[in-house]
mmCIF file of all heavy atoms in Angstrom:
data_model
loop_
_atom_site.group_PDB
_atom_site.id
_atom_site.type_symbol
_atom_site.label_atom_id
_atom_site.label_comp_id
_atom_site.label_asym_id
_atom_site.label_seq_id
_atom_site.Cartn_x
_atom_site.Cartn_y
_atom_site.Cartn_z
ATOM 1 N N ILE A 733 120.096 70.714 5.633
ATOM 2 C CA ILE A 733 121.282 71.635 5.833
ATOM 3 C C ILE A 733 120.986 72.817 6.753
ATOM 4 O O ILE A 733 121.815 73.295 7.500
ATOM 5 C CB ILE A 733 121.941 71.931 4.535
ATOM 6 C CG1 ILE A 733 123.257 72.574 4.676
ATOM 7 C CG2 ILE A 733 121.119 72.781 3.577
ATOM 8 C CD1 ILE A 733 124.119 72.736 3.496
ATOM 9 N N PHE A 783 128.249 76.382 -7.959
ATOM 10 C CA PHE A 783 128.912 75.442 -7.078
ATOM 11 C C PHE A 783 129.557 74.368 -7.841
ATOM 12 O O PHE A 783 128.797 73.474 -8.367
ATOM 13 C CB PHE A 783 128.005 75.007 -5.949
ATOM 14 C CG PHE A 783 127.774 76.085 -4.969
ATOM 15 C CD1 PHE A 783 126.652 76.816 -4.975
ATOM 16 C CD2 PHE A 783 128.645 76.215 -3.845
ATOM 17 C CE1 PHE A 783 126.325 77.850 -4.094
ATOM 18 C CE2 PHE A 783 128.456 77.269 -2.896
ATOM 19 C CZ PHE A 783 127.254 78.020 -3.064
ATOM 20 N N GLY A 807 131.528 78.782 -6.430
ATOM 21 C CA GLY A 807 131.554 78.119 -5.166
ATOM 22 C C GLY A 807 132.089 76.671 -5.263
ATOM 23 O O GLY A 807 132.262 76.133 -6.305
ATOM 24 N N ASN A 808 132.498 76.201 -4.030
ATOM 25 C CA ASN A 808 133.106 74.995 -3.873
ATOM 26 C C ASN A 808 131.994 73.849 -3.463
ATOM 27 O O ASN A 808 131.219 74.063 -2.522
ATOM 28 C CB ASN A 808 134.088 74.972 -2.747
ATOM 29 C CG ASN A 808 135.005 73.825 -2.600
ATOM 30 O OD1 ASN A 808 134.523 72.701 -2.846
ATOM 31 N ND2 ASN A 808 136.106 74.054 -2.060
ATOM 32 N N HIS A 809 131.931 72.789 -4.332
ATOM 33 C CA HIS A 809 130.901 71.784 -4.019
ATOM 34 C C HIS A 809 131.624 70.390 -3.818
ATOM 35 O O HIS A 809 131.099 69.374 -4.315
ATOM 36 C CB HIS A 809 129.879 71.748 -5.103
ATOM 37 C CG HIS A 809 128.644 71.008 -4.886
ATOM 38 N ND1 HIS A 809 128.025 71.062 -3.759
ATOM 39 C CD2 HIS A 809 127.842 70.293 -5.664
ATOM 40 C CE1 HIS A 809 126.936 70.378 -3.776
ATOM 41 N NE2 HIS A 809 126.847 69.780 -4.904
ATOM 42 N N SER A 810 132.774 70.473 -3.234
ATOM 43 C CA SER A 810 133.713 69.274 -3.059
ATOM 44 C C SER A 810 134.490 68.967 -4.346
ATOM 45 O O SER A 810 134.195 69.555 -5.422
ATOM 46 C CB SER A 810 133.043 68.018 -2.596
ATOM 47 O OG SER A 810 132.338 67.276 -3.581
ATOM 48 N N PHE A 817 130.810 60.757 0.190
ATOM 49 C CA PHE A 817 131.485 61.932 0.616
ATOM 50 C C PHE A 817 131.104 62.254 2.183
ATOM 51 O O PHE A 817 132.136 62.436 2.972
ATOM 52 C CB PHE A 817 131.093 63.110 -0.154
ATOM 53 C CG PHE A 817 131.828 64.503 0.406
ATOM 54 C CD1 PHE A 817 133.078 64.791 -0.026
ATOM 55 C CD2 PHE A 817 131.153 65.225 1.183
ATOM 56 C CE1 PHE A 817 133.675 65.954 0.382
ATOM 57 C CE2 PHE A 817 131.633 66.456 1.697
ATOM 58 C CZ PHE A 817 132.884 66.852 1.311
ATOM 59 N N ILE A 825 138.001 65.098 3.866
ATOM 60 C CA ILE A 825 137.048 66.147 3.514
ATOM 61 C C ILE A 825 137.771 67.394 3.318
ATOM 62 O O ILE A 825 137.662 68.096 2.401
ATOM 63 C CB ILE A 825 135.811 66.228 4.574
ATOM 64 C CG1 ILE A 825 134.968 65.039 4.395
ATOM 65 C CG2 ILE A 825 135.077 67.444 4.327
ATOM 66 C CD1 ILE A 825 134.108 64.919 5.588
ATOM 67 N N ILE A 829 138.010 69.801 0.006
ATOM 68 C CA ILE A 829 137.581 71.186 -0.079
ATOM 69 C C ILE A 829 138.800 72.023 -0.630
ATOM 70 O O ILE A 829 138.547 72.956 -1.420
ATOM 71 C CB ILE A 829 137.098 71.659 1.222
ATOM 72 C CG1 ILE A 829 135.821 70.920 1.703
ATOM 73 C CG2 ILE A 829 136.896 73.145 1.282
ATOM 74 C CD1 ILE A 829 135.239 71.174 3.076
ATOM 75 N N ILE A 845 135.984 81.884 -0.234
ATOM 76 C CA ILE A 845 135.326 80.975 -1.069
ATOM 77 C C ILE A 845 134.128 80.287 -0.355
ATOM 78 O O ILE A 845 134.212 79.846 0.825
ATOM 79 C CB ILE A 845 136.222 79.950 -1.576
ATOM 80 C CG1 ILE A 845 137.436 80.533 -2.481
ATOM 81 C CG2 ILE A 845 135.477 78.788 -2.396
ATOM 82 C CD1 ILE A 845 138.372 79.560 -3.021
ATOM 83 N N VAL A 846 132.954 80.260 -0.894
ATOM 84 C CA VAL A 846 131.762 79.719 -0.416
ATOM 85 C C VAL A 846 131.782 78.163 -0.638
ATOM 86 O O VAL A 846 132.267 77.715 -1.569
ATOM 87 C CB VAL A 846 130.575 80.378 -0.833
ATOM 88 C CG1 VAL A 846 130.446 81.756 -0.095
ATOM 89 C CG2 VAL A 846 130.296 80.463 -2.334
ATOM 90 N N PHE A 847 131.133 77.412 0.306
ATOM 91 C CA PHE A 847 131.179 75.970 0.225
ATOM 92 C C PHE A 847 129.764 75.501 0.377
ATOM 93 O O PHE A 847 128.987 76.036 1.259
ATOM 94 C CB PHE A 847 132.045 75.355 1.327
ATOM 95 C CG PHE A 847 131.923 73.908 1.425
ATOM 96 C CD1 PHE A 847 132.381 73.003 0.371
ATOM 97 C CD2 PHE A 847 131.466 73.320 2.542
ATOM 98 C CE1 PHE A 847 132.272 71.682 0.464
ATOM 99 C CE2 PHE A 847 131.463 71.846 2.648
ATOM 100 C CZ PHE A 847 131.784 71.112 1.657
ATOM 101 N N ARG A 848 129.382 74.462 -0.494
ATOM 102 C CA ARG A 848 127.991 73.832 -0.225
ATOM 103 C C ARG A 848 128.304 72.399 -0.301
ATOM 104 O O ARG A 848 128.805 71.879 -1.242
ATOM 105 C CB ARG A 848 127.190 74.199 -1.391
ATOM 106 C CG ARG A 848 125.754 73.539 -1.185
ATOM 107 C CD ARG A 848 124.674 74.019 -2.207
ATOM 108 N NE ARG A 848 124.169 75.238 -1.897
ATOM 109 C CZ ARG A 848 123.484 75.972 -2.882
ATOM 110 N NH1 ARG A 848 123.353 75.533 -4.090
ATOM 111 N NH2 ARG A 848 122.875 77.032 -2.470
ATOM 112 N N PRO A 849 128.071 71.731 0.817
ATOM 113 C CA PRO A 849 128.402 70.295 0.899
ATOM 114 C C PRO A 849 127.497 69.429 -0.088
ATOM 115 O O PRO A 849 126.324 69.841 -0.273
ATOM 116 C CB PRO A 849 128.018 69.947 2.456
ATOM 117 C CG PRO A 849 127.361 71.040 3.067
ATOM 118 C CD PRO A 849 127.460 72.204 2.085
ATOM 119 N N PRO A 850 128.223 68.330 -0.694
ATOM 120 C CA PRO A 850 127.299 67.563 -1.583
ATOM 121 C C PRO A 850 126.021 67.107 -0.864
ATOM 122 O O PRO A 850 126.077 66.687 0.265
ATOM 123 C CB PRO A 850 128.237 66.394 -1.899
ATOM 124 C CG PRO A 850 129.555 66.945 -1.646
ATOM 125 C CD PRO A 850 129.517 67.955 -0.504
ATOM 126 N N ILE A 858 132.039 66.644 8.618
ATOM 127 C CA ILE A 858 131.967 67.835 7.776
ATOM 128 C C ILE A 858 132.085 69.040 8.482
ATOM 129 O O ILE A 858 132.775 70.145 8.111
ATOM 130 C CB ILE A 858 130.734 67.827 6.857
ATOM 131 C CG1 ILE A 858 130.751 66.429 5.942
ATOM 132 C CG2 ILE A 858 130.509 68.962 6.000
ATOM 133 C CD1 ILE A 858 129.486 66.216 5.154
ATOM 134 N N ILE A 862 134.805 72.144 8.142
ATOM 135 C CA ILE A 862 134.381 73.552 7.885
ATOM 136 C C ILE A 862 134.885 74.469 8.927
ATOM 137 O O ILE A 862 135.414 75.619 8.585
ATOM 138 C CB ILE A 862 132.714 73.495 7.974
ATOM 139 C CG1 ILE A 862 132.184 72.871 6.706
ATOM 140 C CG2 ILE A 862 132.235 75.039 8.027
ATOM 141 C CD1 ILE A 862 130.700 72.670 6.702
ATOM 142 N N VAL A 867 135.507 77.911 6.448
ATOM 143 C CA VAL A 867 134.794 78.255 5.186
ATOM 144 C C VAL A 867 133.216 78.680 5.532
ATOM 145 O O VAL A 867 132.759 78.311 6.468
ATOM 146 C CB VAL A 867 134.700 77.015 4.093
ATOM 147 C CG1 VAL A 867 135.998 76.840 3.614
ATOM 148 C CG2 VAL A 867 134.141 75.772 4.907
ATOM 149 N N TYR A 868 132.854 79.446 4.630
ATOM 150 C CA TYR A 868 131.426 79.854 4.782
ATOM 151 C C TYR A 868 130.520 78.922 4.045
ATOM 152 O O TYR A 868 130.737 78.602 2.806
ATOM 153 C CB TYR A 868 131.273 81.311 4.051
ATOM 154 C CG TYR A 868 132.032 82.468 4.830
ATOM 155 C CD1 TYR A 868 133.245 82.688 4.406
ATOM 156 C CD2 TYR A 868 131.295 82.996 5.908
ATOM 157 C CE1 TYR A 868 133.853 83.706 5.124
ATOM 158 C CE2 TYR A 868 132.011 84.020 6.588
ATOM 159 C CZ TYR A 868 133.180 84.340 6.220
ATOM 160 O OH TYR A 868 133.973 85.386 6.879
ATOM 161 N N THR A 869 129.575 78.292 4.796
ATOM 162 C CA THR A 869 128.707 77.321 4.214
ATOM 163 C C THR A 869 127.360 77.938 3.770
ATOM 164 O O THR A 869 126.796 78.674 4.531
ATOM 165 C CB THR A 869 128.473 76.192 5.239
ATOM 166 O OG1 THR A 869 129.869 75.823 5.725
ATOM 167 C CG2 THR A 869 127.957 74.977 4.580
ATOM 168 N N ILE A 870 126.981 77.671 2.506
ATOM 169 C CA ILE A 870 125.734 78.079 1.914
ATOM 170 C C ILE A 870 124.747 77.002 1.648
ATOM 171 O O ILE A 870 125.089 75.983 1.118
ATOM 172 C CB ILE A 870 126.157 78.847 0.641
ATOM 173 C CG1 ILE A 870 127.213 79.874 0.760
ATOM 174 C CG2 ILE A 870 124.772 79.495 -0.059
ATOM 175 C CD1 ILE A 870 126.882 81.088 1.440
ATOM 176 N N GLY A 871 123.589 77.130 2.265
ATOM 177 C CA GLY A 871 122.375 76.144 1.882
ATOM 178 C C GLY A 871 121.426 76.789 0.945
ATOM 179 O O GLY A 871 121.923 77.443 -0.010
#
Side-chain angles (χ1 to χ4, degrees):
I733 190 168
F783 286 92
N808 186 330
H809 196 39
S810 83
F817 179 86
I825 290 167
I829 297 175
I845 297 178
V846 288
F847 172 66
R848 180 177 279 162
I858 295 173
I862 286 169
V867 290
Y868 293 93
T869 311
I870 308 289

